[in-house]
Amino acid sequence: MRDRDLFTLRLAHRFDQLYEALQAVYGTRADFDAVLQRVIVRLAEAHVARPEPLRLLDIERDLSPGWFQKESMLGYVAYVERFGPDLTGVTEQLDYLDELGVGYLHLMKLMHARAGENDGGYAIVDYTGVDPALGTTEDLVALCDALRSRGIALCVDLVLNHCAQEHPWALAASAGDARYRDYFHFFPDRTLPDAYEATLPEVFPDFAPGNFTFDETSGHWVWTTFNRYQWDLNWSNPEVFLEIVQVMMTLANLGVEVFRLDAVAFMWKRMGTDSQNQEEVYDLLQALRACSAIATPAVAHKAEAIVSPDDLIRYFGVGKRHGKVANIAYHNSLMVQYWSSLASGDTTLMTHALAEFPRTPDSIAWGTYIRCHDDIGWAIADDDATAVGLNGQAHRVFLSDWYAGLFPGSDALGGVFQYNPDTNDRRINGSFAALAGLQAARERGDEAAIDLAIERMLLGNALICGFGGLPLLYMGDEIGLPNDAHWQEDPAHAGDSRWMHRPMMDRAAAQRRHDPSSVEGRLFDGLLQIVTARRTTPQLNARYDTDVLRTGHPRLFTIAHRHPLGTLIGVYNFTAGTQWLRAGVLADEGVHRPLDRLGGSLLPVVDDHVELGPYARCWLVDASAES
Ligand code: OTU
């Protein structure tokens, strides 16, 4: 069979997915047929240019489309400059990643961003060029090859909502080039911007208030949702779509295997709305997804949308788009609820909010995480809070106070990000160790507090590894790195306190990971045990449903993973005290003799209860079904 036949088969298989989505967005244009043709030609060209090893990977992934859902999958997330400190350096660190069992590596600030302030790399001047400070295209290809030979997929950001004001498209637009002006949203005066502003929120109210920036060169206002130097792209122009398809094809042919589609919620603007999660966004993402599936099927898409559950679920495709939009999306709610339950020692809200979560297609995976390179916003719905007898606003205030270390009894060392006096909203920065109380306990030399903080962190790692998604570890959290004490010293970072929780990799601390008496050793070894157990627990494959059990126990979070091999029940104790779970909860799910796949032992049932120690986490299956 010729490659051409393979392309034709894939095109036929995905044509409707591509056509319907493009039609929905651009179908009324007179040049729609020409646009469609140009897209397909671009895909065919990319397929012809696709290097041999990647064609093989395409076939492998055709055969195994759920590769990113596997229980053996583990993600690691790092800034190249903080981990490498360049691409060659990253290539030299692959043994470290292998030790953890990483199968997916998301590298940030990799493609060429503007000099000076660049929003942590999210202000791109060249979508397909490597940042010269980090290496060359050849270095990137070498890294991709090295990763692929170890079975690690490289994930790279595709910043879809905006590019830097120094990007050649933006420079041309600013200079008056009509073709490129239509790549952005330009306004001759404040009339339309003011009308839009009436319903637009602000993402960075502190350092980037408003959603429009005056461009001196053109004398026009430009749509800038994020910072003034990040110009929103005009996706109603099919030329923008075609450009991004070309970018995806180029990067995929270098060996990139996952695209993290940044800030996708904002891609489509509509007067009178918050211009987030508009229908056209889902169509555009479905069309982009189809493009990868046709020309470079090895590639998966991860949507970054930090939005409410009902909107979020649509990034996996709802209704006619079921399973066709993104393969992976961040489970922001799980992350927020971990921190919320930990602070309050009460899982009632978590259980309620996550039990209410909509079902997902079985072809997708949640990206499960404890924290990422961004701040944490307290995305707790007022409805959910009210349903469990809390006041949403008061609880969010409590969480900000707790994690900023302002609440009595809190050991957290987080920092406040984007205080908004209008809404009283305060987002939080901080590394895992800083927020979980490990950093403060170490600074005090408080051994008992250190012990508890380690358990708290292992609880979190067990939760993200045991939820049935793709766990994403942020670099350094595996060894408990504290906040970066020097983040303000770099003038390009000083204005953005998220750099507080993007420390440099501490190689000396990492060396201690093999010393079982060190904090690093205890955290790293604890994580390895979790990851090792996960790998042999098929119930944790992301394609199986995760059901939250409403046990009525206010201190435990309990979830069931139903599988032909028998149900697995995850139990997580969010308190420093001992808790007891009714054995009936387990028996109802067929777990009569609870064997903990995480701890490796049988849990004794005493007086119809199982005992869970401080911050205990158990993955329970029926012992008789195991043998
Ligand atoms: C994303 O962030 C990136 O992760 C940030 O690092 C960038 O600053 C931003 O896009 C702009 O490129 O857009 O849909 O707390 O979660 O800014 C969500 C706010 C985003 C971030 C939000 C996020």
Side-chain angles (χ1 to χ4, degrees), residues 297-312:
V299 170
H301 289 192
K302 177 171 64 163
E304 191 254 349
I306 308 305
V307 300
S308 74
D310 290 337
D311 289 322
L312 179 57

Side-chain angles (χ1 to χ4, degrees), residues 199-370:
T199 53
L200 287 178
E202 293 173 316
V203 180
F204 297 141
D206 239 12
F207 52 65
N211 287 278
F212 300 87
T213 300
F214 187 70
D215 172 42
E216 299 283 346
T217 314
S218 64
H220 278 61
W221 291 87
V222 185
W223 199 308
T224 55
T225 300
F226 293 87
N227 290 289
R228 57 178 163 75
Y229 51 78
Q230 289 162 300
W231 287 17
D232 288 35
L233 290 164
N234 173 17
W235 283 86
S236 71
N237 177 0
E239 297 304 323
V240 168
F241 183 87
L242 279 153
E243 293 276 12
I244 295 295
V245 169
Q246 189 59 52
V247 166
M248 289 198 327
M249 297 297 118
T250 304
L251 291 175
N253 279 354
L254 295 178
V256 173
E257 296 181 30
V258 183
F259 291 121
R260 175 191 179 277
L261 308 178
D262 181 67
V264 287
F266 302 88
M267 284 165 71
W268 196 269
K269 324 296 186 193
R270 178 162 281 120
M271 184 65 80
T273 73
D274 61 1
S275 291
Q276 288 186 49
N277 314 306
Q278 300 296 310
E279 284 296 311
E280 289 81 352
V281 170
Y282 305 108
D283 289 320
L284 288 166
L285 295 185
Q286 174 176 320
L288 291 175
R289 177 72 215 112
C291 290
S292 289
I294 291 165
T296 61
V299 170
H301 289 192
K302 177 171 64 163
E304 191 254 349
I306 308 305
V307 300
S308 74
D310 290 337
D311 289 322
L312 179 57
I313 201 76
R314 300 201 292 149
Y315 288 89
F316 289 137
V318 161
K320 63 179 190 223
R321 302 192 195 94
H322 184 89
K324 292 180 188 161
V325 179
N327 307 104
I328 307 164
Y330 287 93
H331 203 323
N332 178 58
S333 293
L334 180 68
M335 186 269 285
V336 165
Q337 295 296 344
Y338 164 77
W339 291 110
S340 167
S341 293
L342 208 55
S344 61
D346 193 314
T347 54
T348 313
L349 176 63
M350 178 181 203
T351 297
H352 175 78
L354 296 178
E356 294 285 301
F357 236 75
R359 282 237 171 278
T360 54
D362 65 7
S363 56
I364 62 85
W366 285 117
T368 55
Y369 64 119
I370 285 297

Side-chain angles (χ1 to χ4, degrees), residues 181 185-193 212 214-215 218-222:
R181 197 155 274 190
H185 303 274
F186 273 80
F187 304 94
D189 56 43
R190 284 292 309 185
T191 315
L192 282 173
F212 300 87
F214 187 70
D215 172 42
S218 64
H220 278 61
W221 291 87
V222 185

